[in-house]
DNA sequence: GTGGGGGGTGAGAGCGCTCTCACGTCATGG
DNA sequence: CCATGACGTGAGAGCGCTCTCACCCCCCAC
């Protein structure tokens, strides 16, 4: 084993080098008050000269702060990296965290054993907080985390019973219902009569809310949707492909599709092309997210834009505030859930 | 601030609950030898009952082991997440690490200030080792890391002077030169006379090696390539698009293109389609990587396959062995660089 | 001249753990 | 019957840091 550490200078070393006490060095290093500028300068010089870097473990041991937060994504790596939604979100998160010198620990839940491991990890105090994504209805993890008191912020409104009423629950969501409603209304305005929908997994509130928005636009109740116009996808392009194929089989007469995200919409596009349907002439398609797949699709997708990167940033910010790391303005309100607006972007597919 | 920890039981608590000493509990928790099974059982019971979880900071403080490794990618998030190459690689890494209960810290270098922060972080002993990717020729980071003695494994053969000769340098690479040679030879066998190439950034050895392979197949020296058949890309689809456009402008007569990765090849495809060239009839295209963009392209890409996920896994394994965490067979050789083979996959674009 | 602050500094306890070493106990062999 | 050693266990030091508290010194008010 490499024991490359061990020779690293400690606070003590810096202290004796500078001719002061450990406490003073600590104060200087952490920017504490009550040290003469002259001494401060001397210490800084010693730190520089010895190449001192604080030992995080020791610091964490006493402060109970790790300076790291976990990003937990309840999806296999294959999905996490294939879906630009996570990419963008992570980008916003990463940026915000790095601005506060906080590390990002990425944990993806792929296999069953990962649950135990990550649950243990989170409750072991390795991180100061967690950002949780893509939680499905029956996921035991958030409850576990919350129970240990780990500060957490959710990506998307959590769907478990009672979540609605918990004033301490923090999440960042977008107006999924409103966005979906706009999308479908847009299709109707373009004269489409038979609008089908490709859902995301309905154990996620985002997918459910988008389905509700679809029903809203159609002026029907949540359970009155025509089953032959509703197909189930899984937020992947392949899922969209399959769902579109099923829809065409069942309802050959449809003239529009609203897909729960851009990836499924691209899949749908692929199937439509394979079946010789022209888009938008024969069938109009609308996606959701407005990420790369939308712009790059053939034809470019009409879709619903949400500020994904911004949402990631907000999640991080909420968490940092909850942890007490972000600078609070004096009269700052306690952190609260955030719901961002969604706007329709019209391109060539509708 | 939430002080949700603090009430967590310590080793001491478990010890007194089980009626043994701290040392014994520690032995049981860490699976050490020399404890009677009866006592062992009693301690396990107490651990269970009190819900004891070891404090990692304390443990790290004395063992100098953090149980985490950093994955450093010298690319902006936008690229990291857009390129399935990283995704796959990360997948392999993540799997291998989680099998050894080791955490993955993802660090992406986007802005200049990130360099200082990450350099500090790596040398501060927060992690037991680092996996480094996508290093460009002039990157100061690996040197920094290596200098502190941080165990590191590189993704792709490092390109700085002297790297070749350093016996301690660990990396996982693929036979880029051979793969490229195969790709271009294949184009020639199909009767293509004028084969152009779209490079990745030449300050990365992978891109450089692929260019060399191209020259090999053409039977020319590294610097004898016809400049009007060589275009510079950046491993992104947009870059491929632009490079293809330039090539067509300069060499309208070309009948084949070898692109340094699938993403650039897809971009090239897009440009060719926009310019009305048929693939493969007018122009044949070959990519590199054999990841999703290849299979999903229109037409599906002939490309060079490398086992990207496997390479990620190997990197992690090498690192764990270097750190001394992986189970070593008795007569295990010290870890050495790995170069994996590359094989041509023929699809419809050639 | 003396008492009382207050700012700057140091001493020291302790965070929770691991690990070395010493100790006690019991079987073994001369 | 005692020396020997193996084995199981506990005591205690210490990892590097933060933070409280006590201390000292200087300045000011009375």
């Amino acid at each position: 084993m490499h024991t490359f550490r061990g020779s690293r200078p400690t606070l003590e070393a810096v202290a004796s080098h500078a001719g002061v006490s450990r406490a003073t060095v600590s104060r200087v290093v952490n920017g504490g008050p009550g040290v003469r500028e002259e001494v401060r300068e001397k210490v800084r010089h010693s730190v520089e000269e010895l190449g001192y870097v604080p030992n995080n473990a020791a610091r964490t041991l006493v402060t109970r702060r790790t300076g790291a937060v976990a990003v937990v994504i309840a999806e296999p790596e294959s999905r996490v990296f294939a879906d630009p939604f996570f990419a963008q979100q992570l980008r916003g998160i990463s940026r915000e965290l790095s601005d506060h010198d906080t590390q990002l620990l990425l944990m993806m839940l792929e296999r069953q054993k990962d649950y135990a491991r990550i649950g243990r990890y989170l409750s072991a105090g390795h991180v100061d907080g967690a950002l949780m994504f893509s939680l499905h209805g029956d996921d035991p993890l958030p409850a576990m985390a919350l129970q240990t008191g780990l500060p957490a912020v959710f990506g998307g409104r959590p769907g478990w019973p009672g979540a609605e009423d918990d004033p301490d629950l923090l999440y960042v969501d977008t107006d999924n219902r409103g966005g979906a409603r706009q999308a479908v209304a847009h299709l109707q305005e373009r004269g489409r009569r038979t609008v089908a929908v490709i859902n995301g997994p309905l154990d996620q509130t985002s997918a459910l809310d988008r389905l509700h928005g679809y029903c809203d636009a159609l002026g029907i109740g949540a359970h009155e949707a025509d089953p032959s116009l509703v197909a189930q996808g899984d937020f992947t392009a392949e899922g969209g492909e399959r769902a579109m194929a099923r829809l065409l089989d069942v309802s050959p007469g449809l003239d529009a599709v609203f897909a729960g995200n851009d990836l499924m919409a691209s899949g749908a596009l692929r199937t439509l092309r394979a079946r010789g349907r022209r888009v938008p002439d024969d069938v109009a398609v609308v996606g959701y997210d407005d990420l790369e797949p939308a712009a790059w699709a053939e034809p470019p997708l009409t879709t619903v834009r949400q500020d994904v990167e911004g949402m990631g940033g907000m999640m991080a910010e909420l968490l940092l505030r909850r942890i007490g790391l972000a600078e609070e303005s004096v009269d700052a309100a306690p952190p609260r859930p955030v719901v961002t607006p969604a706007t329709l972007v019209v391109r060539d597919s509708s």
Side-chain angles (χ1 to χ4, degrees), chain A:
Chain A
M1 172 202 174
H2 273 238
T3 54
F4 69 96
R5 308 182 200 96
S7 62
R8 272 179 35 220
T10 68
L11 251 204
E12 190 70 52
V14 177
S16 75
H17 183 272
V20 296
S21 75
R22 245 180 17 249
T24 299
V25 179
S26 175
R27 277 187 273 260
V28 173
V29 168
N30 296 301
V35 179
R36 259 183 313 148
E37 187 50 42
E38 182 196 332
V39 176
R40 206 177 274 277
E41 195 47 55
K42 197 168 54 180
V43 170
R44 267 198 286 259
H45 179 259
S46 294
V47 165
E48 191 70 31
E49 184 154 330
L50 298 179
Y52 169 76
V53 183
N55 178 319
N56 206 243
R59 181 180 274 173
T60 296
L61 184 55
V62 26
T63 59
R64 273 93 210 296
R65 277 285 179 67
T66 65
V69 313
V71 172
V72 181
I73 307 186
E75 300 281 347
E77 283 97 344
S78 48
R79 239 199 50 63
V80 173
F81 287 104
D83 192 336
F85 181 78
F86 293 116
Q88 285 284 98
Q89 196 107 254
L90 271 167
R91 199 173 170 178
I93 292 171
S94 162
R95 190 177 297 258
E96 183 73 21
L97 291 182
S98 101
D99 280 346
H100 288 87
D101 272 316
T102 301
Q103 278 313 309
L104 182 165
L105 269 97
L106 187 63
M107 354 193 83
M108 290 161 288
L109 291 158
E110 183 150 30
R111 294 167 292 175
Q112 208 51 44
K113 66 165 282 203
D114 292 340
Y115 270 87
R117 184 173 58 85
I118 291 185
R120 217 178 329 121
Y121 196 86
L122 291 181
S123 48
H126 293 68
V127 292
D128 296 334
L131 297 173
M132 305 212 177
F133 279 104
S134 195
L135 296 169
H136 298 262
D138 53 349
D139 197 321
L141 206 63
M144 284 172 58
L146 252 23
Q147 203 176 13
T148 67
L150 218 220
V153 175
F154 297 90
R157 176 170 54 81
W160 60 79
E164 212 62 91
D165 310 321
D166 186 341
D168 276 348
L169 205 61
L170 245 34
Y171 61 87
V172 173
D173 204 355
T174 169
D175 180 14
N176 288 302
R177 189 163 185 163
R181 189 163 35 215
Q182 282 180 66
V184 177
H186 159 78
L187 288 168
Q188 294 170 318
E189 282 159 20
R190 295 268 161 126
R192 307 292 168 160
R193 317 297 318 211
T194 316
V195 182
V197 60
I198 301 179
N199 286 321
L202 293 180
D203 57 352
Q204 294 186 240
T205 54
S206 60
L208 194 60
D209 289 353
R210 288 172 200 178
L211 178 59
H212 283 155
Y214 165 84
C215 293
D216 288 353
L218 262 49
I220 59 178
H223 299 290
E224 298 166 34
D226 178 350
S228 65
L229 289 177
V230 178
Q232 195 53 42
D234 56 2
F235 278 151
T236 71
E238 290 81 357
E241 237 171 337
R242 285 191 298 270
M244 189 72 242
R246 250 173 291 135
L247 284 173
L248 287 174
D249 291 343
V250 183
S251 307
L254 61 82
D255 59 4
V257 186
F258 165 58
N261 73 351
D262 291 339
L263 235 33
M264 294 196 297
S266 332
L269 244 33
R270 216 176 292 267
T271 297
L272 288 167
R273 195 183 313 138
R275 302 265 183 122
R277 308 285 185 114
R278 287 167 309 160
V279 175
D281 313 44
D282 302 332
V283 179
V285 177
V286 178
Y288 205 109
D289 280 350
D290 193 26
L291 295 175
E292 277 156 14
W296 282 71
E298 288 270 342
L301 279 172
T302 293
T303 186
V304 179
R305 166 173 303 165
Q306 41 184 347
D307 176 12
V308 181
E309 184 173 339
M311 286 165 69
M314 282 180 215
M315 285 184 66
E317 196 199 321
L318 282 184
L319 184 62
L320 290 172
R321 282 177 57 198
R322 162 78 37 113
I323 295 173
L325 238 50
E327 56 288 335
E328 302 267 6
S329 52
V330 192
D331 53 354
R336 298 186 40 73
V338 173
V339 177
T340 64
T343 58
L344 189 72
V345 177
V346 179
R347 296 210 182 82
D348 306 344
S349 68
S350 68

